[in-house]
């Protein structure tokens, strides 16, 4: 099949076009449509495809193979007919902004550090670029500001197909060996790169460039970025979160990190005090368990493992049967530690697993785990098993 003529190469700002339907094949519940020319940019180079319509059919996906562009639609189109195509401009323009922003950042990074952009993803959820060398937060911020300076200068972005002779002496960034006519996107003084995607005409149209996040990645760095409306929307969301946090904590933006650290410290201290008080309460209950009982159980909410274990050890000094400390409540179930000086707790665990739904286990001397069910159900089950063993 002959290659599809790419209208977006030369006129990325035109969203309406007419083209002839070359083929239409059913593909599950979709239709694969090839036109003689298209304004739809297909998925390639890490960029998601354009959206829009062909006639009254919605374009759901656009793919390219050997220069042939296939539109996946929800309706069939008659072969041979002229069809009107309409590309979703907001979506296209946003992708143009992100992509040109990426070229500027990559060009400046390449110029200053010699790193190559080895991975680019432009999707609805993220825009990321991977570089094959490390960058610090400070270096990234500096580059980010430089990108915005290029935006403010409103430099023209030029796309051309130089002949082989010109190409030979042209230093340009390229991800891979390309064949066929090579499209070169030039931002004078900033970047020269082989690229097939639509770009804005002037850098000023990008509006704003913002790095949202970065992380070390395969010995280099992965940078998450946004341009234009998407950047402003993301910053608005962050600002809302920040304002809510500042109001909730009655804190200024500058004081927020310290404020949160202070809260964490307070929380840690309180947790420690609470654990001490609870342990004290457990020990009091241990004192109060009647000496003559063979088994002894203590149920209390909010105990930690240390408090539970100390409680069980203390109970075992007084009671020869099963001694258990249970932390939790009837609604959500209990975390438990059960020990015994004379009886096999492993066998008890088997019994409780079958009858009450214990999750956990341990040694013959002590078991630990989680129990669903109420205080009533749990203590009855253990007492009944104890009675079966001893009578
Ligand atoms: Zn590109």
């Amino acid at each position: 099949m002959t290659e599809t003529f790419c209208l977006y190469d030369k006129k990325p700002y035109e969203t309406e076009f007419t083209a002839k339907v070359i083929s239409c094949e059913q593909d599950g519940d979709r239709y694969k449509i090839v036109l003689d020319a298209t304004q739809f940019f297909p998925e390639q180079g890490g960029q998601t495809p354009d959206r829009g319509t062909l006639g009254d059919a919605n374009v759901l996906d656009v793919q390219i193979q050997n220069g042939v562009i296939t539109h996946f639609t929800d309706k069939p189109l008659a072969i041979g007919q002229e069809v009107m195509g309409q590309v979703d401009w907001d979506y296209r323009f946003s992708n143009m902004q992100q992509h040109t922003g990426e070229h500027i950042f990559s060009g400046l990074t390449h110029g200053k550090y010699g790193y190559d952009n080895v991975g680019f993803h432009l999707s609805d959820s993220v825009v990321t670029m991977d570089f094959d060398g490390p960058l610090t937060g400070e270096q990234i911020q500096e580059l980010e500001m430089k990108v915005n300076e290029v935006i403010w200068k409103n430099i023209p972005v030029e796309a051309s197909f130089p002949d082989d002779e010109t190409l030979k002496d042209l230093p340009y960034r390229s991800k891979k060996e390309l064949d066929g006519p090579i499209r070169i996107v030039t931002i004078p003084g900033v970047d020269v790169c082989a690229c097939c995607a639509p770009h804005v005409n002037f850098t000023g149209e990008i509006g704003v460039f913002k790095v949202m996040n970065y992380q070390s990645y395969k010995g280099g760095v992965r940078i998450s970025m946004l341009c234009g409306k998407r950047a402003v929307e993301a910053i608005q969301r962050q600002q809302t979160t920040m304002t809510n946090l500042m109001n909730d904590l009655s804190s200024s933006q500058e004081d927020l990190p310290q404020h949160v650290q202070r809260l964490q410290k307070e929380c840690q201290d309180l947790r420690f005090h609470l654990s001490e008080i609870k342990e004290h309460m457990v020990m009091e209950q241990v004192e109060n368990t009647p000496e003559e009982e063979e088994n002894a159980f203590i149920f209390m909410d909010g105990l930690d493992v240390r408090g539970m274990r100390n409680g069980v050890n203390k109970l075992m000094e007084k009671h020869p049967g099963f001694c258990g400390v249970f932390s939790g409540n009837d609604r959500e179930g209990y975390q438990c530690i059960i020990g015994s000086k004379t009886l096999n707790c492993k066998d008890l665990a088997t019994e409780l697993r079958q009858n009450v739904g214990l999750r956990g286990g341990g040694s013959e001397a002590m078991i630990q785990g989680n129990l669903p069910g109420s205080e009533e159900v749990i203590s009855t089950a253990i007492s009944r098993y104890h009675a079966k063993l001893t009578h």
Side-chain angles (χ1 to χ4, degrees), residues 300-345:
M300 198 182 284
D301 212 348
L303 296 173
D304 60 18
V305 173
R306 200 186 68 140
M308 289 166 73
R309 198 180 296 275
N310 289 346
V312 170
N313 285 331
K314 208 78 188 161
L315 282 175
M316 279 160 63
E317 288 172 14
K318 277 177 73 182
H319 307 272
F322 291 117
C323 299
V325 175
F326 303 82
S327 172
N329 54 61
D330 281 4
R331 194 164 39 85
E332 290 164 73
Y334 293 89
Q335 205 188 347
C336 69
I337 295 179
I338 305 167
S340 178
K341 261 186 172 164
T342 59
L343 304 169
N344 187 334
C345 291

Side-chain angles (χ1 to χ4, degrees), residues 207-381:
V208 60
F209 174 94
K210 188 76 196 79
V211 169
M212 304 307 296
N213 205 351
Y214 67 93
Q215 65 193 90
S216 296
Y217 184 75
K218 291 183 177 172
V221 62
R222 167 166 286 184
I223 293 173
S224 176
M225 53 152 272
L226 287 173
C227 290
K229 188 180 176 187
R230 283 181 73 176
V232 175
E233 283 172 346
I235 295 164
Q236 283 176 339
R237 284 194 296 275
Q238 287 189 343
Q239 191 54 52
T240 303
T241 305
M242 186 64 87
T243 306
N244 289 342
L245 279 175
M246 280 155 53
N247 288 342
D248 287 350
L249 300 176
S250 304
S251 173
S252 69
Q253 185 171 325
E254 290 68 32
D255 290 343
L256 210 49
Q258 271 182 313
H259 204 114
V260 170
Q261 273 171 15
R262 208 163 54 231
L263 281 177
Q264 280 175 326
K265 174 81 172 63
E266 270 176 31
C267 199
Q268 207 176 18
D269 291 350
L270 283 173
R271 222 178 276 142
F272 181 73
H273 282 302
L274 187 66
S275 132
E276 277 187 330
I277 292 166
K278 288 276 180 177
E279 197 173 328
H280 189 73
M281 285 165 72
V282 169
M283 288 310 168
E284 252 180 15
Q285 284 212 22
V286 172
E287 294 297 316
N288 293 334
T289 52
E291 298 266 0
E292 65 280 8
E293 291 289 334
E294 289 206 35
N295 302 318
F297 312 127
I298 294 170
F299 288 83
M300 198 182 284
D301 212 348
L303 296 173
D304 60 18
V305 173
R306 200 186 68 140
M308 289 166 73
R309 198 180 296 275
N310 289 346
V312 170
N313 285 331
K314 208 78 188 161
L315 282 175
M316 279 160 63
E317 288 172 14
K318 277 177 73 182
H319 307 272
F322 291 117
C323 299
V325 175
F326 303 82
S327 172
N329 54 61
D330 281 4
R331 194 164 39 85
E332 290 164 73
Y334 293 89
Q335 205 188 347
C336 69
I337 295 179
I338 305 167
S340 178
K341 261 186 172 164
T342 59
L343 304 169
N344 187 334
C345 291
K346 247 182 159 166
D347 292 344
L348 172 68
T350 308
E351 172 81 9
L352 291 179
R353 236 174 258 132
Q354 282 166 3
N355 295 335
V356 195
L358 169 79
R359 276 180 294 116
S363 66
E364 287 187 8
M366 197 172 274
I367 57 171
Q368 188 173 343
N370 288 291
L371 276 165
S374 64
E375 176 174 344
E376 169 85 33
V377 167
I378 294 166
S379 42
T380 307

Side-chain angles (χ1 to χ4, degrees), residues 57-102:
N58 291 305
V59 176
L60 311 168
D61 190 10
V62 190
Q63 295 292 326
I64 184 165
Q65 204 168 18
N66 302 323
V68 178
I69 293 174
T70 305
H71 309 73
F72 292 80
T73 64
D74 56 356
K75 284 185 190 139
L77 292 171
I79 295 167
Q81 80 166 114
E82 289 276 330
V83 68
M84 202 178 92
Q86 177 84 51
V87 169
D88 178 338
W89 169 246
D90 287 346
Y91 191 76
R92 154 73 65 88
F93 181 61
S94 172
N95 277 357
M96 284 158 61
Q97 289 178 311
Q98 316 304 319
H99 203 134
T100 311
E102 179 265 316

